[in-house]
């Protein structure tokens, strides 16, 4: 069987995973050009079909909603443009409190969660009480609903009338958020620590590192890198739950909307606040997806995490 030069060049192009030839005078074969043209046509067709199906779905949903019997009343109550204009600057002003809570509580959650995770993974019988306390902490606050935790801290602590203890609902609400999310983040860190193969610690010990140095310089860096996607997911959830501090009277985005609703009996400000939170959350969610996909690609290629 005779192999033509064109087919030989094609096999070489396909054999190296689609890379160009070694020389600068490489000319792709007609077969490869046809294949790439087919791929582009298929991609355009898939994009067109996706856009068309999205448009049809949107039109159907729109017709279903606007033709519902209660739509006029719902539109007046939840989608009033006048109340939206009134609520937007006030809700945006209150959102600054949510952003500050996210930054401060997020940092505290990471530190406290790491300490709890390390406490749960300490070895030796002397650390048994510490491991039990750390496990009890995570079990309790992961099982306690966040809204109840907020009520206990925000409403219960001031009722004790303790000297020197703040009654600021923002600080108390941030404390409740930190207590709850630290339990979740601690389990994420613990899973990352336990996912590091014991040979890594043994190799570090063989090089003369102490247990503490092996944990700090070898185990924890690998554990944190592996757990970045779930940590970012917890951060997204924390961002949304900062709106719950409004139950103590703190004027955040949700409370600012609630004040307008209480005066006007129109629920449009809630829609405005919800959309602002969604707009704030989407970039972080997409960033989490990008980090997850990047780590999956590196893992599939055998690269370091």
């Amino acid at each position: 069987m005779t192999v033509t030069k064109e087919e030989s060049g094609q096999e070489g192009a396909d054999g190296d995973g689609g890379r160009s030839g070694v020389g600068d005078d490489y000319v792709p074969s007609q077969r490869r050009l046809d294949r790439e043209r087919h791929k582009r046509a298929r991609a355009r067709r898939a994009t067109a079909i996706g856009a068309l199906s999205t448009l049809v779905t949107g039109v159907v949903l729109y017709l279903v909603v606007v033709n519902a019997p209660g739509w006029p009343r719902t539109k007046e109550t939840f989608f009033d443009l006048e109340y939206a204009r009134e609520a937007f600057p006030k809700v945006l002003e209150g959102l600054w409190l949510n952003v500050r809570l996210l930054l401060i509580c997020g940092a505290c959650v990471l530190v406290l969660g790491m300490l709890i995770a390390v406490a749960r993974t300490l070895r030796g019988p002397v650390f048994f009480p510490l491991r039990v306390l750390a496990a009890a902490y995570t079990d309790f606050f992961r099982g306690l609903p966040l809204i109840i935790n907020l009520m206990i801290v925000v409403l219960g602590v001031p009722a004790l009338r303790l000297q020197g203890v703040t009654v600021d609902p923002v600080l108390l609400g941030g404390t409740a958020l930190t207590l709850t999310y630290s339990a979740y983040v601690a389990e994420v860190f613990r899973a990352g620590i336990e996912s590091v193969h014991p040979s890594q610690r043994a190799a570090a010990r063989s090089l003369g590192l102490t247990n503490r140095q092996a944990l700090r310089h070898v185990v924890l860096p690998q554990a944190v890198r592996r757990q970045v996607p779930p940590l970012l997911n917890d951060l997204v959830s924390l961002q949304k739950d900062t709106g719950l501090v409004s139950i103590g009277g703190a004027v955040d985005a949700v409370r600012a909307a609630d004040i307008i609703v209480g005066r006007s009996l129109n629920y449009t400000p809630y829609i405005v606040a919800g959309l602002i939170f969604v707009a704030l959350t989407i970039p972080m969610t997409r960033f989490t997806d990008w980090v997850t996909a990047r780590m999956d690609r590196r893992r599939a290629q055998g690269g370091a995490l």
Side-chain angles (χ1 to χ4, degrees):
M1 178 179 178
T2 303
V3 180
T4 63
K5 183 178 179 180
E6 178 179 298
E7 292 174 344
S8 177
Q10 174 60 33
E11 290 176 358
D14 292 342
D16 63 358
R19 296 191 298 269
S20 298
V22 177
D24 295 335
D25 57 347
Y26 168 75
V27 178
S29 66
Q30 186 62 39
R31 185 182 302 174
R32 176 163 184 168
L33 293 175
D34 292 340
R35 183 186 297 117
E36 292 181 353
R37 189 181 301 109
H38 173 70
K39 289 182 179 179
R40 289 193 297 268
R42 187 171 58 183
R44 289 194 297 268
R45 184 169 59 253
T47 302
I49 293 175
L52 180 61
S53 63
T54 302
L55 178 62
V56 170
T57 303
V59 170
V60 170
L61 290 176
Y62 173 79
L63 293 176
V64 169
V65 171
V66 300
N67 290 321
W71 169 244
R73 179 59 177 170
T74 301
K75 180 181 179 181
E76 179 184 352
T77 306
F78 289 91
F79 301 99
D80 192 299
L81 190 58
E82 179 181 350
Y83 286 110
R85 291 197 189 97
E86 177 186 356
F88 182 77
K90 297 178 181 179
V91 171
L92 203 61
E93 181 180 355
L95 185 68
W96 174 234
L97 175 60
N98 299 101
V99 174
R100 284 181 293 169
L101 279 172
L102 171 65
L103 297 176
I104 297 174
C105 293
C108 294
V109 162
L110 291 176
V111 173
L112 183 57
M114 176 63 76
L115 293 176
I116 297 171
V118 171
R120 290 203 64 179
T121 57
L122 290 175
R123 301 179 179 182
V126 68
F127 296 113
F128 176 75
L130 193 58
R131 291 197 299 268
V132 171
L133 289 176
Y137 177 93
T138 56
D139 290 343
F140 178 77
F141 282 104
R142 289 176 70 198
L144 183 68
L146 175 59
I147 188 67
I148 295 179
N149 186 17
L150 279 163
M151 289 181 177
I152 292 174
V153 176
V154 175
L155 303 179
V157 172
L160 296 175
R161 299 181 181 179
L162 299 174
Q163 295 294 328
V165 177
T166 182
V167 295
D168 188 346
V170 176
L171 295 178
L172 294 177
T175 301
L177 290 172
T178 302
L179 291 174
T180 295
Y181 273 91
S182 295
Y184 289 101
V185 171
E187 287 300 284
V188 173
F189 279 132
R190 185 172 72 93
I193 293 173
E194 293 181 348
S195 70
V196 178
H197 198 275
S199 62
Q200 298 288 317
R201 192 187 296 264
R205 296 283 289 137
S206 68
L207 294 175
L209 275 67
T210 64
N211 280 324
R212 180 181 301 177
Q213 291 173 333
L215 179 65
R216 176 183 176 185
H217 298 290
V218 178
V219 177
L220 287 183
Q222 296 184 63
V224 172
R225 284 197 300 269
R226 295 179 180 183
Q227 298 304 104
V228 167
L231 287 174
L232 290 175
N233 283 327
D234 285 335
L235 194 61
V236 170
S237 298
L238 175 62
Q239 177 178 300
K240 295 181 297 182
D241 286 340
T242 55
L244 295 176
V245 299
S246 60
I247 66 173
V251 183
D252 67 330
V254 177
R255 182 59 179 168
D258 190 56
I259 293 173
I260 301 175
V261 171
R263 184 181 67 250
S264 63
L265 298 180
N266 187 282
Y267 297 104
T268 303
Y270 285 149
I271 302 298
V272 174
L275 292 177
I276 290 178
F277 270 103
V278 170
L280 193 63
T281 302
I282 286 178
M284 190 176 297
T285 305
R286 296 286 75 81
F287 177 70
T288 302
D289 294 340
W290 177 82
V291 170
T292 303
R294 180 173 178 268
M295 295 183 68
D296 290 341
R297 288 195 301 269
R298 296 185 64 180
R299 187 182 296 113
Q301 296 170 359
L305 296 179

